[in-house]
Amino acid sequence: MREVFQAELKSIGDELIQMSKLVAEAMERAYASFEAADTDIAQEVIAADQKIDYLQTSLDERAIDILALQGPVASDLRMIVGSLRMSASLERMGDLARHIAQLTRLRFPNNVAPQRLAETFKEMASLDVQIAQKVTELLESRDLNIASEIIGLNNRVDELHASVFKVVADPDWNESAPATADSTLTSRYLERYADHGVSVARKVTYLVTGEWDPEIGVRGQL
Amino acid sequence: MREVFQAELKSIGDELIQMSKLVAEAMERAYASFEAADTDIAQEVIAADQKIDYLQTSLDERAIDILALQGPVASDLRMIVGSLRMSASLERMGDLARHIAQLTRLRFPNNVAPQRLAETFKEMASLDVQIAQKVTELLESRDLNIASEIIGLNNRVDELHASVFKVVADPDWNESAPATADSTLTSRYLERYADHGVSVARKVTYLVTGEWDPEIGVRGQL
């Protein structure tokens, strides 16, 4: 029974890793579609999001089954409940990558982003992909140095997000209002994606150390 | 033991109801601050969000304790896991109300919204408050007609959200780029708040009927 239980726990961990790989790929491809105004790639990202949603459902069902059949306690219980939270964050990261692809499709044949923000969004998307890749590494290794790296990358995303509003407020900014609105949404999506990566990193940290990060107070505990 | 268990389950239900009341009040007050460019009210909303966060933590701890100590199965187990999901949605609704208050404070002494969108945002905020109030009623009564009403209200929020982008794209729109960016974010926050209300409604529906809404597929099941 104990062996079955450990195998079930491992399956949950594997599914989280698989989800994190898929959301990294989703953002990488979403940004490729966004940069090149390529609706074929955008369409692929949108379609592939269903796979991420399916994995979340599968993981959540497995977690419920374990709770019902095995009655786990202590750290195993927290791991399972934490996995439900992590799967929700990863699923949301997939949605945000999809939103970038949907904006690309909406504005085709034009680019979504004005040239002036192209480098900023390129860096934000690259940081997002790195964050998701590091989430995969963190889930695989439980090496908390990686969690710190993720938080460092997210800080840079936040700076870039703030810089977008400075650029938009600059008197030289002479883009159309729809381009301003699209840039605002793009920046918000890229910033939220990174936030969810941080949520997963904090959850893993809590599960490994049993302590929550004081920066976020008690909220990170589950 | 069974009585203790039922009392614990009831406590979780009561905390969800309390959270839904607080997030309704948070949006009502956030919009009041937004409409009047009133930083005192904005500050109160920002401070009050901590109470919502605290309630989520308290609810989640209670849920974990029940899972550990009582080993619930079947519908009780689904109710508890569903409560974890619902508390996350409600906590996020509190955050989104706080974001509206933060925008108000950021733009003081100016208004965030251009006059031309004032009525749209007023209606969106009013629908958001109604949605949260109906979430409270739904949690109290489990009357699924209320869930349908929530979905209807959210459809109107989505229409208004789409209309904001049409207004911004209108050649007559001659607001500054920061006003365009702020309007975009405001609309997004108001729209997401309603989405989370719908998530709670769907979760309650699933818990009552044991069936998920085909409109959202398997994702609504937990």
Side-chain angles (χ1 to χ4, degrees):
Chain A
M1 196 67 175
R2 184 75 200 165
E3 274 170 34
V4 173
F5 180 52
Q6 289 304 327
E8 291 279 5
L9 281 186
K10 187 170 178 311
S11 293
I12 288 186
D14 288 346
E15 281 181 323
L16 286 173
I17 288 166
Q18 205 186 336
M19 283 183 83
S20 68
K21 286 180 181 169
L22 288 175
V23 303
E25 190 183 322
M27 183 53 89
E28 193 163 19
R29 305 276 293 159
Y31 180 73
S33 75
F34 179 92
E35 188 176 31
D38 184 323
T39 49
D40 288 343
I41 305 176
Q43 192 51 49
E44 284 168 30
V45 172
I46 294 164
D49 190 43
Q50 289 179 2
K51 166 87 173 159
I52 297 168
D53 295 347
Y54 173 79
L55 269 174
Q56 188 201 6
T57 303
S58 159
L59 187 154
D60 288 0
E61 278 174 1
R62 195 187 299 275
I64 296 266
D65 283 349
I66 296 178
L67 290 171
L69 300 174
Q70 312 274 358
V73 295
S75 64
D76 290 339
L77 173 59
R78 283 186 182 272
M79 199 292 248
I80 293 165
V81 174
S83 296
L84 292 170
R85 292 262 187 256
M86 290 189 268
S87 75
S89 291
L90 290 165
E91 189 271 332
R92 197 70 202 129
M93 290 165 84
D95 286 347
L96 290 160
R98 175 167 52 78
H99 289 344
I100 299 284
Q102 284 167 325
L103 265 183
T104 300
R105 201 172 59 172
L106 185 66
R107 296 308 174 200
F108 179 81
N110 298 313
N111 279 90
V112 178
Q115 194 51 41
R116 187 155 165 195
L117 284 172
E119 281 305 309
T120 304
F121 291 144
K122 189 188 191 79
E123 188 180 348
M124 289 177 85
S126 163
L127 289 160
D128 278 358
V129 173
Q130 287 174 62
I131 285 171
Q133 287 169 341
K134 283 190 184 292
V135 164
T136 303
E137 287 174 42
L138 176 63
L139 289 166
E140 284 171 340
S141 69
R142 307 255 155 170
D143 172 357
L144 297 186
N145 291 318
I146 300 172
S148 303
E149 289 169 21
I150 289 169
I151 289 164
L153 292 169
N154 178 58
N155 290 342
R156 177 67 185 144
V157 173
D158 286 344
E159 281 173 20
L160 289 165
H161 181 54
S163 81
V164 168
F165 294 93
K166 289 204 189 87
V167 169
V168 163
D170 189 299
D172 289 348
W173 177 262
N174 52 13
E175 300 293 335
S176 70
T180 303
D182 285 350
S183 299
T184 303
L185 285 181
T186 300
S187 191
R188 174 82 180 155
Y189 297 151
L190 293 169
E191 183 250 344
R192 289 295 298 157
Y193 181 101
D195 282 346
H196 285 289
V198 168
S199 293
V200 176
R202 293 202 196 283
K203 208 77 53 185
V204 173
T205 303
Y206 174 69
L207 292 171
V208 171
T209 65
E211 287 176 9
W212 47 82
D213 186 318
E215 202 183 308
I216 46 159
V218 290
R219 263 193 289 172
Q221 74 184 287
L222 290 180
Chain B
M1 197 68 174
R2 184 75 199 164
E3 275 170 33
V4 173
F5 179 53
Q6 289 304 327
E8 291 278 5
L9 281 188
K10 184 169 180 314
S11 293
I12 287 186
D14 289 346
E15 280 181 324
L16 286 174
I17 289 165
Q18 205 185 337
M19 284 184 83
S20 68
K21 286 180 181 169
L22 287 174
V23 303
E25 191 183 321
M27 184 52 88
E28 191 163 22
R29 305 276 295 157
Y31 180 73
S33 76
F34 179 93
E35 186 176 34
D38 185 323
T39 50
D40 289 342
I41 305 177
Q43 192 51 50
E44 284 168 30
V45 172
I46 294 163
D49 189 42
Q50 289 179 3
K51 167 86 173 160
I52 297 167
D53 295 347
Y54 172 79
L55 269 174
Q56 188 200 7
T57 303
S58 160
L59 187 153
D60 288 0
E61 279 174 0
R62 194 187 300 274
I64 295 269
D65 284 348
I66 296 177
L67 290 172
L69 300 174
Q70 312 275 358
V73 295
S75 65
D76 290 339
L77 173 59
R78 285 188 180 267
M79 198 290 247
I80 292 165
V81 174
S83 297
L84 291 169
R85 293 261 186 255
M86 289 189 269
S87 76
S89 291
L90 290 165
E91 189 271 331
R92 196 69 203 129
M93 290 165 85
D95 287 346
L96 290 160
R98 174 166 53 77
H99 289 344
I100 299 283
Q102 284 167 326
L103 265 182
T104 300
R105 201 171 59 172
L106 184 68
R107 297 306 175 202
F108 179 81
N110 298 314
N111 280 91
V112 178
Q115 195 49 42
R116 187 155 162 194
L117 285 172
E119 282 304 310
T120 303
F121 291 144
K122 189 188 191 79
E123 187 180 349
M124 288 177 86
S126 164
L127 289 161
D128 278 358
V129 173
Q130 287 174 61
I131 285 171
Q133 288 169 341
K134 284 191 183 290
V135 165
T136 303
E137 287 174 42
L138 175 64
L139 289 166
E140 284 172 340
S141 70
R142 306 255 155 169
D143 172 356
L144 297 186
N145 292 319
I146 299 172
S148 303
E149 288 169 22
I150 289 169
I151 288 165
L153 292 169
N154 178 58
N155 290 342
R156 177 67 186 146
V157 172
D158 286 345
E159 281 174 18
L160 289 165
H161 181 54
S163 81
V164 168
F165 295 93
K166 289 206 189 87
V167 170
V168 164
D170 189 298
D172 289 348
W173 177 263
N174 51 12
E175 300 294 334
S176 70
T180 304
D182 286 351
S183 299
T184 303
L185 285 180
T186 300
S187 191
R188 174 82 180 154
Y189 298 151
L190 293 169
E191 183 251 343
R192 288 295 297 158
Y193 181 102
D195 281 346
H196 285 290
V198 168
S199 293
V200 177
R202 293 202 196 281
K203 208 78 56 190
V204 174
T205 303
Y206 174 68
L207 293 170
V208 170
T209 65
E211 287 175 11
W212 47 80
D213 186 319
E215 202 183 309
I216 49 161
V218 289
R219 264 192 288 173
Q221 74 184 286
L222 291 177

